[in-house]
Structure formats: C-alpha cells, structure tokens
Amino acid sequence: MSKKTLIVFVLTVLLPGSGHLLRRRWKAGFCYVGLLLIEGVTALLAGQQGLLWGVWCSSRGEVVSSLLLYISIALTWTGALWSVCRRTKKKERASRGYWEHAVEKLSRDTKGITGGVIICVVILIAIFAPFYAIHDPIDMDFMHTLERPSALHLFGTDDYGRDLMSRIFFGSRVALGIGAGATLLNMVWGGLLGIIAGFYRNIVDSVIMRFLEVIGSVPYLILVIFIIGMFGSSVKMLIITLGIFGLAPARIIRSEVLSIRESDYITAAKASGAGDFYTIIRHIIPNSMAPLLVVTTMQIGVNIIIVAGLSFLGFGISPPTPSWGSMLQEAQQFIVVNPWLGLPPGIAIMLTVLGFNLVGDSLRDALDPTLGI
Amino acid sequence: MLGYAIRRGLQMILVLFFVSLLVFVFIKLAPGDPARLLAGMTATPDTVEIIRHEFGLDRPYYIQFARLLTGLFSGRLKSLTYRAPIRDLIIERARASIELGLVALLLTVIISIPFGVISALMRGRPLDYAISLVALVGISTPVFWLAIILMSVFGVQLGILPISGRGATIGGWSLATVDGVRHLIIPGVALAAIQLALNTRLTRSSMLEILNQDYLRTARAKGLKARIVIVKHAFRNAMLPVLTNVGIQIGGFLGGAVLTETVTAWPGLGRLMFEAISRRDEPLIIGLTLLSAFTAVFGYIVVDLLYALVDPRITYE
C-alpha cells in the first residue's frame, strides 16, 4: 500500500468524502461530504432536543427516526470507505444497454435533478420530522394563536397556537406515506390488470376493459370522495381506495403490452416452448417497465393532491394529525385574520408534487419520449 | 356514422347502469344507517322505523335499486335531506355549474392553445422554458389552494373581487349581470388552472410532434410561407389530441367542480355533491354520480364523433 493510499484511507475514516476529494473525484467527494453535513445537522438538532438517544426514550416514531439516522450515518461511512478503496479503473464497453443509456441521460437533465433534489428534501423532512420540528405539532398554546411569522415560529401559528412549521414537517409524512403507498398499490394492481388484459386479449381483455370503463366514467375525485365519505377515512382506507381505483396505469400498460406481444422475441419465446407465466415475467414485465415507471412517478403527485383535497373537504386525515390538506381548510376559515396561514401548506403541496412531476417529465424524456403523457 | 352513434349510445346506457349498480352496492355495504341519521340522535326507534318506511329503506335491496332507477327517470325520486325531487334540485343547481364550466372552458381554450403553439415554435428558447415551467407548476398546484390564494389576494387584501357566492343573477344566470361576472372570476380561474396547464403541455407536445413530420418539411421545401405551413399544415393536425383533452375536460368538469365550488361557496352541482356525501343523502348521491358519469361518457362520445367531422381520414362503420 502506497503512502498516498494510506492517507486517503485515513482521511476517509476521519471524514467520508475527503479521500475522494484528494483523489480529485469531485462529484463523489462532495456528495459524501454533503450527506455527512446533512446528517450532522440532523443529529445536532436531534441532540439539542434530547432526542438523539431516542432508542432509550420517548415515542415509537422518534425511535424509528433516530435508528434511521444511525443507519444512514453508518452507511455513509462504509459506503465512502468502500468506494474509495475500490479500484477506480473505468470499464469501457462497446455497447451500452437501454437502461444505462437512460440513466446517463437522466443524470444530465437539470429538470430531473431539480425534481430529485426536491423529493429527497421532502423525504428527509418526513423521516426526520421530530428532529427538525422545534415544537410539538399538536401542542396547543392559546396565548399565541394566529401569530404571524416570527423567530420562534418561522411560519407563524394556527388558530390553536400550534407551530405551523412543525405541522408542515409532520404533514409530509401523511402526504408521502399515503401518496407512495397508494401509488405502489396502483402500480401492482393496475399493472397486473393491464398485463393480463393485454396478454390474454379476447374475453379477459373485454371484461377488464369494461370494468375500467365503468370505473373511469365517474370522475376520479367524485368516486374517491364518495367511497371515503361512505366508509369513513383512515390512513389504511385512503391508501386502499386510492390504490384500487387509480387505474390510469392499467390502460397505459395494457396498450404497451398489446404492442410488445406482437414482437418477434415473444414469438421466438413461444416457439421455444416458453409458458405464459415465464413469458410475462421474463419478457413482458421488463419491457413494459419504462412507461410504468413514468406513470407511477406522475401518479404519486396526483395521489398527493387528491389526499390533500380529501383532507381539505374533511373526508381525509382527521385532526389533530397534521396534514397539509386540513391545514388549508383551517387557513380558509381565517383568511381575513391571518392570510399567512394558507401559504406554507399550499407551497408544501405544490413543491412536492412539482418534484414528482419534474422527475416524471425527465424520466419520460429519457425512457420513452413518444409516450403521450 | 349514425349506426356508430347509436351503438355508442347503447354502450353508454350499459355503462351507466353498472355505475349506478356499483354506487348502490357501495352505499349498502357502507356502515351507518341513513334513517337513523335523518331522525337525529334523540329519535325513538319508532320514529326511525317510520322514516325508514317513508323512504322505502325497509324493502329488499333489488326493489330499492329498481325504485331508485325508475324514480330517477320519472323525476319522483326525492332527496333525503332536501325533501325535494332530485331532478328539480339538479336543474336548479345546474345553471351555476354550467356557467362556471363554460368560463373555465373558455379560459382554457383561449389561453392554452396559443401558449402551447408559441412554446412549441420557440422550442429551446427562454420563452419556451418559461411557459413549460409555468405549465408544470400549474399541474402541480391544488385547485383549492389556488382558490384560497386568489380569494386572499384579490378578495381580502386588494378588495376588488368578491370572495364567495354568486352575486346578482338574472333568470338564474350570473353571466347576465356585472356583479355576477365579478363573482365568477375567482372560481372560474381556479377551475380552469389545471386544465389550462395540461392543455398547454399537450398542445406543445402535439405541435412538436407534427413539426417533425416529413410532410411539413415537404411543405417548407416547396416554398410555402412559414405562416401557412404552421397554420394550415401543422396547427390543424396538432389540434386533434387537444380536442380529445377538451372533450374529457368538459365531461369531467364536475370532478374539479366539487373542490372549486366548495371553496368558493359556489352553489352548483359540485357543492351539492359535497353536501350529499357529507349528509349521506343516498338518492342524491346516486343521482349526481350518474350525472357526472353521464357527462363524462357523453363527452367521450361527442369527441369521437367530432373526430370524424374534423379528420377526413377517420370514418366509423
């Protein structure tokens, strides 16, 4: 081991990323240093509130958050060490695959990167909400209601004197959690329907398409409000309802599968005796991934807006759990007294959804520019 | 053409039947008893029983369903909470919603198409980026928040626009009076916003696709003026997907109207839907859901038929 390698190794142990910087691997170096900086600030904020040792105290949510913080710090360290010790010889290959090409295209697209950064920040806030939120999101303080932004309450307080910023931070959990959960269900259930309809055609296709037609004929928001309004709302109920009735992916996957089905490689697979299940798993699903990915990314945004809309109408998340939609409902009641109240939750929704739409747009450009979404 | 229209019409009836069946099943599956809800907390079991009998809620499900359907079409079916026939309620509220929908549609078409075309023609220039960014922000903005911001800025802070209600009407139309039009601005803009943004994006991408076609290169190569190439050859063809989207927008506007009308206290069908679900007014819910499904499916059919008129390549057998 040469002297320089040793220095790089020691430096990386002391501060992940510094070794990369010494080796002039700027991008990776700044990434690791940045990550560590974020984690450090998070840990500092947590320590200030006495939550850093959350494993031995306080509520379950805080325990999970602090565990995740430890894990992420450990991962940064080991990741940096691993990548700096690895041989950095670049492998040049004659041809590159579809996905590698797409990833390269993505990493150059400012739109996608901006969106990705927004999403990362929101996810970070959602995971470490108890650390970033200085006040308790449901702690009422009737001496300080409807205050305008100040140093103590950066976004002001609501009608119960609750800190708006803390509520925004905790609200991101509801938005992201339900948005991602429902979209995952959309993807699996809608993808399944689309693949079966597209692959088997004929009667199966007709039945599924008629089903989609009936569901799709009622405007999505009306359908969802109706079901949530009838059956009552809970996080589980919201995820299931949005997941089952958000059938936009099914149609797109179906048309994709219909065209893939006619390709020569499917005929070849069949000729060599591949069964339906094998063909679907091995050929149909990997080849219809691109549009599914694009639709899914955009669908998360749609679901976040729908959840906010439901909470706004009073059908969604019930108080006092902080959610962006119900915060806007409160803001509307005090529109004359304190117009500031409506700004932070709305901007939070808009930015988060914008992040997903930006990434979706850039994914579409990279994966399948002909997709008409 | 006529045969096609008739076939589509019959299909629509089938779809609507299944929609009403679906809604009915969901209502019956849902927990809670509408009769008890209507009677109030302090009602005796006897009162609840009387109400249940009055609205036929004690009959078997298939009879209830049949009565619902026949009642809807004969106009005798009454709302549980308003105690008035659903048909009258819908007609009374429909004007407000139609007005709002028209304003939103007009705003969408007038603004989105030119901006989409300009954006496509200026591809890669700052103006294109600006329009694309605004459109992307537009589809990311929740309508109800936009409405709140508009109300807060123009209604409360500047005090130049009324923040809720319909204002003065003539014959049930707000559009007929200046005051009514002023009341229409905020809900109209809010309702239009998302569709406006979507339509701009669609116009842009559709225009871009056409501009890359071979026949446009031919048209340019044979020395046609740029204006004629764009207007006659590109624009007309690019409008087909936009037409579809506008049709879907018209058909589905009741969905967006629920939020917009509830925020701005606009007494239209969207708000009625909100009230019906909050109060669990079963017949009214079914009636309104069917109406929204009807407009949506009808929108699709009209667009499909218009296609044949606009595009001579398309014929329906």
Side-chain angles (χ1 to χ4, degrees):
Chain A
M1 202 189 274
S2 73
K3 207 172 171 188
K4 189 173 177 190
T5 321
L6 195 70
I7 295 175
V8 166
F9 187 77
V10 171
L11 266 178
T12 307
V13 171
L14 291 174
L15 179 69
S18 55
H20 292 84
L21 291 178
L22 200 70
R23 286 226 159 127
R24 295 172 185 280
R25 287 166 61 187
W26 304 115
K27 234 189 219 167
F30 284 122
C31 264
Y32 280 113
V33 171
L35 261 176
L36 208 71
L37 208 69
I38 294 171
E39 285 158 1
V41 170
T42 310
L44 211 70
L45 284 170
Q48 220 172 22
Q49 300 182 58
L51 296 174
L52 192 55
W53 312 110
V55 182
W56 292 278
C57 60
S58 58
S59 71
R60 204 176 61 186
E62 286 156 3
V63 172
V64 173
S65 291
S66 49
L67 268 179
L68 280 172
L69 183 60
Y70 297 143
I71 292 172
S72 71
I73 292 176
L75 277 180
T76 316
W77 235 282
T78 46
L81 269 177
W82 177 75
S83 91
V84 86
C85 290
R86 198 176 48 144
R87 265 195 219 124
T88 53
K89 209 168 73 187
K90 265 186 191 165
K91 268 192 250 167
E92 282 296 332
R93 275 202 286 164
S95 67
R96 275 179 311 167
Y98 171 77
W99 290 101
E100 281 169 63
H101 202 80
V103 167
E104 199 193 304
K105 229 170 151 184
L106 260 180
S107 64
R108 282 209 215 105
D109 191 1
T110 10
K111 217 164 46 171
I113 293 171
T114 320
V117 169
I118 295 176
I119 295 173
C120 286
V121 169
V122 178
I123 292 177
L124 205 72
I125 288 175
I127 293 177
F128 299 121
F131 302 160
Y132 297 140
I134 305 167
H135 305 271
D136 192 305
I138 49 175
D139 223 7
M140 301 186 200
D141 178 3
F142 289 104
M143 301 298 283
H144 303 281
T145 58
L146 295 173
E147 271 184 9
R148 303 213 164 199
S150 64
L152 185 60
H153 301 282
L154 276 180
F155 293 166
T157 59
D158 70 1
D159 50 319
Y160 290 106
R162 298 175 293 201
D163 180 53
L164 215 57
M165 195 158 108
S166 308
R167 290 181 70 72
I168 295 275
F169 284 175
F170 275 91
S172 66
R173 292 183 160 188
V174 169
L176 278 189
I178 298 179
T183 310
L184 202 69
L185 205 57
N186 280 164
M187 198 167 143
V188 174
W189 160 241
L192 205 69
L193 279 182
I195 287 171
I196 292 175
F199 190 76
Y200 290 105
R201 296 191 295 193
N202 300 333
I203 298 176
V204 183
D205 186 27
S206 302
V207 171
I208 292 178
M209 283 313 282
R210 291 295 91 77
F211 170 69
L212 293 186
E213 210 170 290
V214 169
I215 300 284
S217 66
V218 184
Y220 188 42
L221 189 69
I222 290 188
L223 188 71
V224 172
I225 292 177
F226 161 65
I227 292 171
I228 296 288
M230 283 286 127
F231 289 87
S233 69
S234 63
V235 171
K236 215 188 287 171
M237 194 64 209
L238 280 168
I239 291 179
I240 292 174
T241 310
L242 290 175
I244 290 180
F245 293 102
L247 289 167
R251 279 168 188 274
I252 289 158
I253 298 307
R254 172 181 169 269
S255 59
E256 189 72 14
V257 172
L258 275 178
S259 74
I260 291 174
R261 205 178 177 284
E262 302 304 320
S263 334
D264 290 339
Y265 57 83
I266 300 290
T267 321
K270 271 192 190 148
S272 46
D276 285 356
F277 185 72
Y278 179 83
T279 315
I280 289 177
I281 297 285
R282 190 77 185 78
H283 296 292
I284 302 273
I285 292 182
N287 285 299
S288 53
M289 260 338 254
L292 188 61
L293 213 61
V294 178
V295 180
T296 306
T297 319
M298 302 246 180
Q299 189 76 17
I300 295 181
V302 173
N303 281 335
I304 289 176
I305 289 197
I306 296 269
V307 172
L310 283 171
S311 307
F312 179 77
L313 290 175
F315 294 126
I317 302 297
S318 44
T321 309
S323 79
W324 295 341
S326 47
M327 288 168 76
L328 279 175
Q329 187 193 26
E330 284 161 24
Q332 200 200 349
Q333 294 165 21
F334 298 96
I335 194 169
V336 181
V337 193
N338 188 353
W340 289 106
L341 220 51
L343 230 43
I347 291 175
I349 300 172
M350 197 195 73
L351 272 181
T352 312
V353 178
L354 184 67
F356 283 106
N357 282 336
L358 280 168
V359 172
D361 250 24
S362 136
L363 267 177
R364 182 203 50 205
D365 292 345
L367 296 175
D368 189 1
T370 57
L371 201 66
I373 301 172
Chain B
M1 183 83 177
L2 188 70
Y4 176 79
I6 291 172
R7 208 168 64 228
R8 287 294 299 266
L10 290 176
Q11 268 174 11
M12 177 172 81
I13 293 173
L14 209 64
V15 166
L16 291 181
F17 174 77
F18 278 111
V19 168
S20 52
L21 188 64
L22 194 80
V23 174
F24 183 77
V25 168
F26 273 126
I27 285 180
K28 289 304 164 193
L29 277 177
D33 182 355
R36 192 166 293 278
L37 216 66
L38 266 177
M41 295 288 276
T42 53
T44 57
D46 289 344
T47 334
V48 175
E49 212 46 56
I50 290 168
I51 289 178
R52 189 168 290 151
H53 186 73
E54 185 190 339
F55 289 102
L57 294 168
D58 51 354
R59 302 283 192 90
Y61 286 152
Y62 64 92
I63 292 183
Q64 282 189 42
F65 183 59
R67 275 171 54 128
L68 264 175
L69 287 190
T70 50
L72 266 179
F73 287 103
S74 64
R76 276 193 318 241
L77 187 67
K78 281 188 176 175
S79 147
L80 295 183
T81 45
Y82 287 91
R83 308 272 169 142
I86 285 172
R87 201 173 56 181
D88 300 353
L89 275 173
I90 287 179
I91 290 171
E92 184 195 319
R93 298 286 195 107
R95 281 193 198 134
S97 275
I98 290 172
E99 263 179 348
L100 190 59
L102 268 180
V103 170
L105 181 70
L106 222 67
L107 279 174
T108 307
V109 172
I110 291 177
I111 299 174
S112 71
I113 292 177
F115 273 95
V117 172
I118 290 171
S119 185
L121 293 178
M122 300 246 174
R123 184 183 194 179
R125 305 239 200 104
L127 189 63
D128 173 33
Y129 285 126
I131 292 176
S132 300
L133 185 69
V134 171
L136 202 63
V137 170
I139 61 169
S140 312
T141 310
V143 277
F144 49 98
W145 180 57
L146 186 67
I148 292 178
I149 294 296
L150 290 174
M151 284 154 71
S152 176
V153 173
F154 294 102
V156 180
Q157 302 301 321
L158 300 175
I160 48 177
L161 287 175
I163 59 170
S164 67
R166 277 187 84 186
T169 53
I170 294 177
W173 298 100
S174 293
L175 275 172
T177 65
V178 178
D179 186 45
V181 171
R182 278 167 35 111
H183 277 84
L184 256 170
I185 295 176
I186 288 178
V189 170
L191 186 59
I194 281 201
Q195 286 302 328
L196 214 164
L198 267 178
N199 227 21
T200 307
R201 278 162 63 90
L202 194 70
T203 310
R204 177 177 178 273
S205 66
S206 164
M207 236 354 228
L208 280 179
E209 203 187 315
I210 302 282
L211 285 175
N212 280 330
Q213 298 285 328
D214 288 339
Y215 65 84
L216 260 136
R217 197 180 308 131
T218 313
R220 273 195 220 104
K222 76 177 183 189
L224 273 185
K225 278 181 196 154
R227 193 172 54 87
I228 294 179
V229 174
I230 289 164
V231 174
K232 277 193 100 170
H233 294 235
F235 179 71
R236 282 190 173 182
N237 287 304
M239 280 306 102
L240 280 176
V242 179
L243 181 72
T244 312
N245 193 46
V246 170
I248 295 172
Q249 184 200 348
I250 297 173
F253 91 100
L254 272 176
V258 174
L259 280 167
T260 320
E261 289 181 0
T262 310
V263 189
T264 56
W266 188 262
L269 293 171
R271 202 177 155 72
L272 191 65
M273 182 80 191
F274 170 69
E275 286 161 5
I277 293 177
S278 324
R279 296 175 188 169
R280 226 196 140 92
D281 192 336
E282 291 180 3
L284 195 55
I285 294 174
I286 292 195
L288 284 169
T289 316
L290 266 183
L291 183 73
S292 67
F294 170 76
T295 48
V297 180
F298 194 69
Y300 279 119
I301 295 180
V302 170
V303 166
D304 279 351
L305 293 179
L306 271 181
Y307 252 52
L309 289 182
V310 179
D311 188 345
R313 288 171 302 185
I314 297 173
T315 48
Y316 295 117
E317 290 307 320

